[in-house]
Amino acid sequence: MGALLEEGRQRLLGKTDQPSQEAQILLSHSSGLTHAQIIANPDHSLSEKSTADFTGLIDRRVNGEPIAYLCGAREFWSLKLTVSKDVLIPRPETELLVERTLIRMALWESPVVADLGTGSGAVALALAKESPPTRIIATDRSDDALGIARQNSQQLGINNVEFYCGRWFDALGPKLKSRINIIASNPPYVMEGDPHLLQGDLPWEPRQALISGRDGLAAFGTIISEAPRWLTPSGWLLLEHGPAQQDHVRVLMEEAGFLEITGHSDLAGLPRVTEGQLPPPCG
Ligand code: GLN
C-alpha cells in the first residue's frame, strides 16, 4: 500500500498543490481504510479491485477532475455533503453567508427563510442544522441539483427544508408573496469568458451555477429587484458576491429600496457578502 500511495503521489506532483494529501484521500476512498490505517500499515497489500479503483481515480485527478467529485463528498459547515457534477462544490467562503444569515434569523422567533439556487443544499442545510424549528425553503432551477440537495437532507436527518424547482422566485408559489423573512443566496456571479473559469475545479462545475451573463451581474439584478415582493416588511436579503462586485450589489439594493446595507469580508479580508433590510411596516 505504501508503494501504491507513493506512486499516486508522484503522479499528482505538479497537478495539484497537495499531492500527498490527495493521494491519501483517494486511497482511503478506494480502499475503505482510514488515513490512520493506511499510514500504520504500509506493507499491507490492497485487493485488485481497490488497487484498480485507486489507479483510476489518480488518472482522473491527473486529468483535473475535482477531488470532491471523485469522492462524491465535500464538507461544509461541519456537514458531510454529497456532491456530483450537477452541483457547485461548496466553498469555505460561503460559510460567511451562513454566519450572517444566522445572525439575522435570530431577530425572529420562527422565521421563514429562503435559499435561492441551493445547489447541493449547503446553505439551506447548514441553516436548518443550526435552527431546527425554522421553515426553510430551498430552490434550484436544476432538478438534478435538487435531487442531490434532497439526498443530503435525508442523509443528515434534516426534515425542515422544503425543496422547489424553478428559476429564482419562479420556484415559489403565490402564497409565499410577502411572507418570507429572510432570503439568502449564493447565485452565479462569474462573467462569461472570465479566465478564472479555466482554473482549478471550475472547468468541471456546472456552468449555470457559475456564470451570470456578460457582466456576472444578471442573477443579482433579478433577485434584488424581485425580492421586495416576497419579503415581509423588515425582511432581510443576504447575497454572496465576487470580491469586486460589492459596489454593484449595494447600488442595486439601494435602488430596490433596501436600507441598512452592509458588506462583510471573508477570512481573506475580501468583501463577499452584502445584506440589506426592507423598511419596517408603515404606520
Ligand atoms: N465563488 C465561486 C468562484 O469564483 C463562484 C461561485 C458562484 O458563482 N456563486 O469560484
Side-chain angles (χ1 to χ4, degrees):
M1 203 157 57
L4 194 63
L5 183 64
E6 177 54 20
E7 191 190 309
R9 189 186 75 83
Q10 293 282 347
R11 290 191 57 210
L12 292 179
L13 281 175
K15 302 284 179 186
T16 149
D17 295 340
Q18 300 177 309
S20 303
Q21 202 190 352
E22 292 193 2
Q24 274 202 32
I25 291 170
L26 295 178
L27 191 57
S28 171
H29 186 69
S30 43
S31 65
L33 298 171
T34 64
H35 294 300
Q37 287 168 327
I38 292 172
I39 301 302
N41 300 291
D43 298 331
H44 175 91
S45 42
L46 280 190
S47 70
E48 245 175 66
K49 175 166 184 334
S50 295
T51 306
D53 286 351
F54 175 66
T55 310
L57 289 173
I58 292 283
D59 289 344
R60 288 166 66 187
R61 185 65 189 130
V62 166
N63 195 31
E65 206 166 330
I67 200 99
Y69 290 160
L70 295 177
C71 296
R74 174 57 46 99
E75 203 158 291
F76 178 82
W77 199 266
S78 305
L79 303 174
K80 189 175 177 197
L81 297 172
T82 292
V83 296
S84 76
K85 60 171 179 37
D86 297 308
V87 298
L88 192 81
I89 301 166
R91 317 279 206 258
E93 58 266 27
T94 301
E95 293 191 347
L96 177 64
L97 179 66
V98 173
E99 273 169 37
R100 292 303 319 169
T101 306
L102 287 171
I103 289 170
R104 296 310 175 193
M105 283 166 71
L107 298 169
W108 282 269
E109 199 164 312
S110 183
V112 178
V113 182
D115 167 21
L116 304 181
T118 196
S120 63
V123 170
L125 295 169
L127 296 173
K129 184 79 186 169
E130 297 297 327
S131 48
T134 309
R135 179 180 179 198
I136 298 186
I137 294 148
T139 75
D140 207 285
R141 70 196 275 196
S142 156
D143 260 328
D144 293 328
L146 281 182
I148 298 287
R150 282 200 188 93
Q151 187 182 330
N152 279 320
S153 76
Q154 280 162 12
Q155 279 164 2
L156 295 166
I158 291 174
N159 49 25
N160 57 317
V161 181
E162 299 159 39
F163 297 96
Y164 299 116
C165 192
R167 191 177 165 276
W168 310 129
F169 296 99
D170 296 349
L172 307 178
K175 280 197 190 140
L176 280 165
K177 279 226 164 107
S178 310
R179 289 272 185 281
I180 301 172
N181 301 116
I182 298 174
I183 296 169
S185 181
N186 171 20
Y189 52 70
V190 181
M191 45 174 123
E192 272 167 24
D194 187 324
H196 180 58
L197 292 165
L198 302 173
Q199 293 164 12
D201 292 346
L202 276 81
W204 299 81
E205 293 185 293
R207 305 283 83 190
Q208 68 174 21
L210 286 168
I211 300 173
S212 194
R214 288 191 181 185
D215 57 4
L217 299 170
F220 292 131
T222 305
I223 295 172
I224 297 171
S225 63
E226 292 184 24
R229 283 201 282 285
W230 297 86
L231 284 168
T232 56
S234 303
W236 285 88
L237 171 64
L238 300 97
L239 294 168
E240 176 178 318
H241 50 72
Q245 293 173 323
Q246 189 167 51
D247 291 345
H248 294 281
V249 171
R250 169 180 284 275
V251 167
L252 290 172
M253 278 196 182
E254 277 167 7
E255 284 170 2
F258 285 92
L259 309 171
E260 308 288 339
I261 302 170
T262 341
H264 300 277
S265 297
D266 64 14
L267 293 174
L270 301 169
R272 297 309 298 261
V273 169
T274 295
E275 61 191 45
Q277 185 181 29
L278 283 188
C282 309

